[in-house]
Each structure stands twice: as C-alpha cells, then as structure tokens.
C-alpha cells in the first residue's frame, strides 16, 4: 500500500511520481496498484496528472471486479470522482461505464458499484438524464 507504507517515509514523495505514472500508463492490475499512490500525490502534494481521468476510465473493466483488491480499487475510483470540481460530463461518462460494468459484476461487486452510482447521480444532478428523461407528450387534435 503505497500511500501508507511508502510515501510517509520518503523525504521527497514527488520523486515517486515518475515511477507511478509509468506504472499507471501500463494499464491492468499494475495501474490499479499505482492508483493509490498517484491519488495521494495529486490530493496531498498538489501534483498534476493531465490524463488522470481518461486513464482511470480505461481501467474500469469487468476483469477489475474479479481481482483481490477490488474494494480498494472501487474506493479509489469513488474518491477520485467525488470532487465537486469534476465536470458533469466526465461524471456522467463514469456513471454510464459503472452501470455497464454492473451487468458483469459478481454479487459482491454490486454492493460497491450500485451505491457509488447512486451517490454520483445525487452529486451530479445533470447526469440523472441517464436514468430518467422527461418527455413532453403533445396532444394531437383529430
């Protein structure tokens, strides 16, 4: 666990960013393991990672629901998406991806995904059109 076991003991945690960035860009389980460290550096050390949300989006795949650290991964995804500064269109794309992912999820994975989707829909009200769209019914005169 990089954020709790490695970063606190480094004199300059920013030096770890290059290693974590390369690991994150490789994808798969390696990227998932580096996600915690990158999130820690982004939030607590004010580092930037321009394509963070794009890469995070690509990590959300059905195979991630069958790994041992599924709960940790989904918690990091949720912590990344709960920022009030996150644009609604990005939140909507993640909500849609998570909704599709829930179709493949094992029952234990659904316990994490469904509340995450619900909370994101509450936070980003403009994304609620994904599940409910008002339609106007017009009467035709005959």
């Amino acid at each position: 666990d990089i954020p709790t076991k490695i970063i606190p003991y480094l004199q300059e945690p920013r030096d770890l960013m290059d290693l974590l960035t390369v690991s994150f860009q490789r994808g798969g389980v390696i990227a998932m393991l580096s996600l915690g460290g990158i999130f820690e550096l982004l939030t607590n050390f004010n580092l930037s990672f321009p394509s963070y949300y794009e890469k995070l989006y690509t990590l959300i795949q059905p195979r991630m629901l069958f790994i041992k650290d599924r709960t940790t991964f989904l918690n990091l995804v949720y912590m990344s998406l709960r920022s009030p500064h996150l644009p609604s269109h990005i939140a909507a794309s993640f909500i849609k991806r998570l909704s599709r992912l829930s179709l493949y999820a094992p029952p234990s994975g659904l316990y994490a995904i469904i509340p995450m989707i619900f909370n994101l829909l509450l936070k980003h009200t403009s994304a609620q059109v994904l599940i409910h769209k008002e339609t106007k019914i017009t009467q035709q005169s005959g």
Side-chain angles (χ1 to χ4, degrees), residues 1-21:
D1 192 21
I2 294 172
T4 58
K5 295 184 180 178
I6 296 175
I7 291 178
Y9 300 105
L10 293 175
Q11 290 180 0
E12 192 59 46
R14 292 182 174 110
D15 293 340
L16 195 59
M17 189 64 171
D18 290 334
L19 172 69
L20 293 174
T21 301

PDB file of all heavy atoms in Angstrom, residues 1-21:
ATOM      1  N   ASP A   1       0.854  -1.185   0.000  1.00  0.00           N
ATOM      2  CA  ASP A   1       0.000   0.000   0.000  1.00  0.00           C
ATOM      3  C   ASP A   1       0.893   1.239   0.000  1.00  0.00           C
ATOM      4  O   ASP A   1       1.441   1.631   1.031  1.00  0.00           O
ATOM      5  CB  ASP A   1      -0.914  -0.057   1.213  1.00  0.00           C
ATOM      6  CG  ASP A   1      -2.021   0.954   1.159  1.00  0.00           C
ATOM      7  OD1 ASP A   1      -2.353   1.425   0.071  1.00  0.00           O
ATOM      8  OD2 ASP A   1      -2.540   1.282   2.234  1.00  0.00           O
ATOM      9  N   ILE A   2       1.044   1.834  -1.147  1.00  0.00           N
ATOM     10  CA  ILE A   2       1.975   2.945  -1.348  1.00  0.00           C
ATOM     11  C   ILE A   2       1.651   4.164  -0.488  1.00  0.00           C
ATOM     12  O   ILE A   2       2.550   4.733   0.135  1.00  0.00           O
ATOM     13  CB  ILE A   2       2.052   3.311  -2.846  1.00  0.00           C
ATOM     14  CG1 ILE A   2       2.670   2.143  -3.620  1.00  0.00           C
ATOM     15  CG2 ILE A   2       2.856   4.583  -3.073  1.00  0.00           C
ATOM     16  CD1 ILE A   2       2.633   2.301  -5.113  1.00  0.00           C
ATOM     17  N   PRO A   3       0.386   4.610  -0.404  1.00  0.00           N
ATOM     18  CA  PRO A   3       0.112   5.826   0.362  1.00  0.00           C
ATOM     19  C   PRO A   3       0.417   5.722   1.852  1.00  0.00           C
ATOM     20  O   PRO A   3       0.788   6.715   2.474  1.00  0.00           O
ATOM     21  CB  PRO A   3      -1.383   6.071   0.158  1.00  0.00           C
ATOM     22  CG  PRO A   3      -1.730   5.331  -1.073  1.00  0.00           C
ATOM     23  CD  PRO A   3      -0.801   4.170  -1.128  1.00  0.00           C
ATOM     24  N   THR A   4       0.293   4.538   2.435  1.00  0.00           N
ATOM     25  CA  THR A   4       0.501   4.426   3.882  1.00  0.00           C
ATOM     26  C   THR A   4       1.837   3.818   4.275  1.00  0.00           C
ATOM     27  O   THR A   4       2.334   4.082   5.367  1.00  0.00           O
ATOM     28  CB  THR A   4      -0.623   3.583   4.519  1.00  0.00           C
ATOM     29  OG1 THR A   4      -0.633   2.285   3.907  1.00  0.00           O
ATOM     30  CG2 THR A   4      -1.965   4.253   4.354  1.00  0.00           C
ATOM     31  N   LYS A   5       2.440   3.027   3.388  1.00  0.00           N
ATOM     32  CA  LYS A   5       3.668   2.329   3.765  1.00  0.00           C
ATOM     33  C   LYS A   5       4.931   2.864   3.112  1.00  0.00           C
ATOM     34  O   LYS A   5       6.026   2.548   3.550  1.00  0.00           O
ATOM     35  CB  LYS A   5       3.533   0.839   3.465  1.00  0.00           C
ATOM     36  CG  LYS A   5       2.476   0.179   4.319  1.00  0.00           C
ATOM     37  CD  LYS A   5       2.417  -1.292   4.084  1.00  0.00           C
ATOM     38  CE  LYS A   5       1.331  -1.889   4.987  1.00  0.00           C
ATOM     39  NZ  LYS A   5       1.174  -3.307   4.788  1.00  0.00           N
ATOM     40  N   ILE A   6       4.795   3.664   2.061  1.00  0.00           N
ATOM     41  CA  ILE A   6       5.991   4.157   1.367  1.00  0.00           C
ATOM     42  C   ILE A   6       6.072   5.684   1.406  1.00  0.00           C
ATOM     43  O   ILE A   6       7.087   6.238   1.826  1.00  0.00           O
ATOM     44  CB  ILE A   6       6.028   3.653  -0.093  1.00  0.00           C
ATOM     45  CG1 ILE A   6       6.151   2.129  -0.103  1.00  0.00           C
ATOM     46  CG2 ILE A   6       7.169   4.294  -0.861  1.00  0.00           C
ATOM     47  CD1 ILE A   6       6.071   1.509  -1.465  1.00  0.00           C
ATOM     48  N   ILE A   7       5.028   6.363   0.983  1.00  0.00           N
ATOM     49  CA  ILE A   7       5.058   7.827   0.860  1.00  0.00           C
ATOM     50  C   ILE A   7       5.389   8.534   2.173  1.00  0.00           C
ATOM     51  O   ILE A   7       6.186   9.479   2.168  1.00  0.00           O
ATOM     52  CB  ILE A   7       3.749   8.342   0.222  1.00  0.00           C
ATOM     53  CG1 ILE A   7       3.691   7.901  -1.244  1.00  0.00           C
ATOM     54  CG2 ILE A   7       3.634   9.869   0.339  1.00  0.00           C
ATOM     55  CD1 ILE A   7       2.451   8.295  -1.986  1.00  0.00           C
ATOM     56  N   PRO A   8       4.854   8.121   3.328  1.00  0.00           N
ATOM     57  CA  PRO A   8       5.197   8.843   4.564  1.00  0.00           C
ATOM     58  C   PRO A   8       6.683   8.796   4.921  1.00  0.00           C
ATOM     59  O   PRO A   8       7.178   9.661   5.656  1.00  0.00           O
ATOM     60  CB  PRO A   8       4.379   8.124   5.637  1.00  0.00           C
ATOM     61  CG  PRO A   8       3.281   7.455   4.911  1.00  0.00           C
ATOM     62  CD  PRO A   8       3.823   7.116   3.565  1.00  0.00           C
ATOM     63  N   TYR A   9       7.423   7.823   4.417  1.00  0.00           N
ATOM     64  CA  TYR A   9       8.830   7.671   4.781  1.00  0.00           C
ATOM     65  C   TYR A   9       9.780   8.286   3.762  1.00  0.00           C
ATOM     66  O   TYR A   9      10.995   8.252   3.956  1.00  0.00           O
ATOM     67  CB  TYR A   9       9.156   6.189   4.976  1.00  0.00           C
ATOM     68  CG  TYR A   9       8.316   5.587   6.076  1.00  0.00           C
ATOM     69  CD1 TYR A   9       7.252   4.754   5.774  1.00  0.00           C
ATOM     70  CD2 TYR A   9       8.568   5.880   7.408  1.00  0.00           C
ATOM     71  CE1 TYR A   9       6.461   4.213   6.771  1.00  0.00           C
ATOM     72  CE2 TYR A   9       7.784   5.352   8.415  1.00  0.00           C
ATOM     73  CZ  TYR A   9       6.730   4.518   8.097  1.00  0.00           C
ATOM     74  OH  TYR A   9       5.945   4.000   9.087  1.00  0.00           O
ATOM     75  N   LEU A  10       9.278   8.835   2.697  1.00  0.00           N
ATOM     76  CA  LEU A  10      10.119   9.476   1.696  1.00  0.00           C
ATOM     77  C   LEU A  10      10.359  10.934   2.056  1.00  0.00           C
ATOM     78  O   LEU A  10       9.439  11.631   2.485  1.00  0.00           O
ATOM     79  CB  LEU A  10       9.458   9.394   0.310  1.00  0.00           C
ATOM     80  CG  LEU A  10       9.332   8.011  -0.311  1.00  0.00           C
ATOM     81  CD1 LEU A  10       8.542   8.097  -1.608  1.00  0.00           C
ATOM     82  CD2 LEU A  10      10.699   7.419  -0.574  1.00  0.00           C
ATOM     83  N   GLN A  11      11.583  11.391   1.865  1.00  0.00           N
ATOM     84  CA  GLN A  11      11.875  12.800   2.107  1.00  0.00           C
ATOM     85  C   GLN A  11      11.227  13.676   1.041  1.00  0.00           C
ATOM     86  O   GLN A  11      10.775  14.778   1.323  1.00  0.00           O
ATOM     87  CB  GLN A  11      13.384  13.036   2.131  1.00  0.00           C
ATOM     88  CG  GLN A  11      14.051  12.441   3.345  1.00  0.00           C
ATOM     89  CD  GLN A  11      15.539  12.700   3.325  1.00  0.00           C
ATOM     90  OE1 GLN A  11      16.080  13.321   2.422  1.00  0.00           O
ATOM     91  NE2 GLN A  11      16.220  12.220   4.363  1.00  0.00           N
ATOM     92  N   GLU A  12      11.197  13.191  -0.181  1.00  0.00           N
ATOM     93  CA  GLU A  12      10.586  13.923  -1.291  1.00  0.00           C
ATOM     94  C   GLU A  12       9.649  12.987  -2.051  1.00  0.00           C
ATOM     95  O   GLU A  12      10.051  12.351  -3.017  1.00  0.00           O
ATOM     96  CB  GLU A  12      11.676  14.474  -2.220  1.00  0.00           C
ATOM     97  CG  GLU A  12      11.189  15.477  -3.217  1.00  0.00           C
ATOM     98  CD  GLU A  12      10.539  16.694  -2.592  1.00  0.00           C
ATOM     99  OE1 GLU A  12      11.081  17.257  -1.634  1.00  0.00           O
ATOM    100  OE2 GLU A  12       9.447  17.079  -3.078  1.00  0.00           O
ATOM    101  N   PRO A  13       8.395  12.895  -1.620  1.00  0.00           N
ATOM    102  CA  PRO A  13       7.454  11.971  -2.260  1.00  0.00           C
ATOM    103  C   PRO A  13       7.212  12.269  -3.733  1.00  0.00           C
ATOM    104  O   PRO A  13       6.831  11.382  -4.483  1.00  0.00           O
ATOM    105  CB  PRO A  13       6.165  12.157  -1.464  1.00  0.00           C
ATOM    106  CG  PRO A  13       6.576  12.765  -0.181  1.00  0.00           C
ATOM    107  CD  PRO A  13       7.817  13.557  -0.468  1.00  0.00           C
ATOM    108  N   ARG A  14       7.461  13.494  -4.156  1.00  0.00           N
ATOM    109  CA  ARG A  14       7.239  13.845  -5.565  1.00  0.00           C
ATOM    110  C   ARG A  14       8.139  13.044  -6.500  1.00  0.00           C
ATOM    111  O   ARG A  14       7.838  12.879  -7.674  1.00  0.00           O
ATOM    112  CB  ARG A  14       7.464  15.336  -5.759  1.00  0.00           C
ATOM    113  CG  ARG A  14       6.412  16.163  -5.083  1.00  0.00           C
ATOM    114  CD  ARG A  14       6.631  17.643  -5.336  1.00  0.00           C
ATOM    115  NE  ARG A  14       5.529  18.379  -4.798  1.00  0.00           N
ATOM    116  CZ  ARG A  14       5.610  19.168  -3.732  1.00  0.00           C
ATOM    117  NH1 ARG A  14       6.756  19.319  -3.117  1.00  0.00           N
ATOM    118  NH2 ARG A  14       4.548  19.805  -3.300  1.00  0.00           N
ATOM    119  N   ASP A  15       9.266  12.553  -5.986  1.00  0.00           N
ATOM    120  CA  ASP A  15      10.177  11.755  -6.809  1.00  0.00           C
ATOM    121  C   ASP A  15       9.538  10.431  -7.235  1.00  0.00           C
ATOM    122  O   ASP A  15       9.963   9.829  -8.214  1.00  0.00           O
ATOM    123  CB  ASP A  15      11.473  11.469  -6.052  1.00  0.00           C
ATOM    124  CG  ASP A  15      12.286  12.729  -5.808  1.00  0.00           C
ATOM    125  OD1 ASP A  15      12.052  13.732  -6.530  1.00  0.00           O
ATOM    126  OD2 ASP A  15      13.143  12.720  -4.901  1.00  0.00           O
ATOM    127  N   LEU A  16       8.539  10.012  -6.522  1.00  0.00           N
ATOM    128  CA  LEU A  16       7.861   8.758  -6.824  1.00  0.00           C
ATOM    129  C   LEU A  16       6.887   8.892  -7.997  1.00  0.00           C
ATOM    130  O   LEU A  16       6.469   7.901  -8.572  1.00  0.00           O
ATOM    131  CB  LEU A  16       7.114   8.297  -5.563  1.00  0.00           C
ATOM    132  CG  LEU A  16       6.612   6.886  -5.477  1.00  0.00           C
ATOM    133  CD1 LEU A  16       7.759   5.898  -5.622  1.00  0.00           C
ATOM    134  CD2 LEU A  16       5.916   6.672  -4.153  1.00  0.00           C
ATOM    135  N   MET A  17       6.565  10.121  -8.374  1.00  0.00           N
ATOM    136  CA  MET A  17       5.547  10.364  -9.394  1.00  0.00           C
ATOM    137  C   MET A  17       5.910   9.748 -10.746  1.00  0.00           C
ATOM    138  O   MET A  17       5.047   9.196 -11.421  1.00  0.00           O
ATOM    139  CB  MET A  17       5.299  11.870  -9.542  1.00  0.00           C
ATOM    140  CG  MET A  17       4.128  12.201 -10.421  1.00  0.00           C
ATOM    141  SD  MET A  17       2.598  11.589  -9.716  1.00  0.00           S
ATOM    142  CE  MET A  17       1.417  12.349 -10.799  1.00  0.00           C
ATOM    143  N   ASP A  18       7.170   9.824 -11.150  1.00  0.00           N
ATOM    144  CA  ASP A  18       7.564   9.259 -12.449  1.00  0.00           C
ATOM    145  C   ASP A  18       7.333   7.749 -12.492  1.00  0.00           C
ATOM    146  O   ASP A  18       6.790   7.226 -13.465  1.00  0.00           O
ATOM    147  CB  ASP A  18       9.029   9.570 -12.752  1.00  0.00           C
ATOM    148  CG  ASP A  18       9.254  11.037 -13.035  1.00  0.00           C
ATOM    149  OD1 ASP A  18       8.300  11.706 -13.485  1.00  0.00           O
ATOM    150  OD2 ASP A  18      10.371  11.517 -12.796  1.00  0.00           O
ATOM    151  N   LEU A  19       7.742   7.058 -11.447  1.00  0.00           N
ATOM    152  CA  LEU A  19       7.551   5.610 -11.390  1.00  0.00           C
ATOM    153  C   LEU A  19       6.061   5.258 -11.409  1.00  0.00           C
ATOM    154  O   LEU A  19       5.628   4.361 -12.145  1.00  0.00           O
ATOM    155  CB  LEU A  19       8.201   5.037 -10.135  1.00  0.00           C
ATOM    156  CG  LEU A  19       7.913   3.563  -9.857  1.00  0.00           C
ATOM    157  CD1 LEU A  19       8.590   2.684 -10.888  1.00  0.00           C
ATOM    158  CD2 LEU A  19       8.333   3.196  -8.461  1.00  0.00           C
ATOM    159  N   LEU A  20       5.275   5.980 -10.627  1.00  0.00           N
ATOM    160  CA  LEU A  20       3.846   5.707 -10.563  1.00  0.00           C
ATOM    161  C   LEU A  20       3.146   6.031 -11.881  1.00  0.00           C
ATOM    162  O   LEU A  20       2.223   5.327 -12.290  1.00  0.00           O
ATOM    163  CB  LEU A  20       3.209   6.488  -9.417  1.00  0.00           C
ATOM    164  CG  LEU A  20       3.626   6.058  -8.015  1.00  0.00           C
ATOM    165  CD1 LEU A  20       3.048   6.999  -6.979  1.00  0.00           C
ATOM    166  CD2 LEU A  20       3.225   4.628  -7.735  1.00  0.00           C
ATOM    167  N   THR A  21       3.594   7.078 -12.549  1.00  0.00           N
ATOM    168  CA  THR A  21       2.998   7.453 -13.832  1.00  0.00           C
ATOM    169  C   THR A  21       3.242   6.377 -14.884  1.00  0.00           C
ATOM    170  O   THR A  21       2.321   5.994 -15.612  1.00  0.00           O
ATOM    171  CB  THR A  21       3.562   8.797 -14.318  1.00  0.00           C
ATOM    172  OG1 THR A  21       3.288   9.788 -13.336  1.00  0.00           O
ATOM    173  CG2 THR A  21       2.951   9.211 -15.639  1.00  0.00           C
TER     174      THR A  21
END
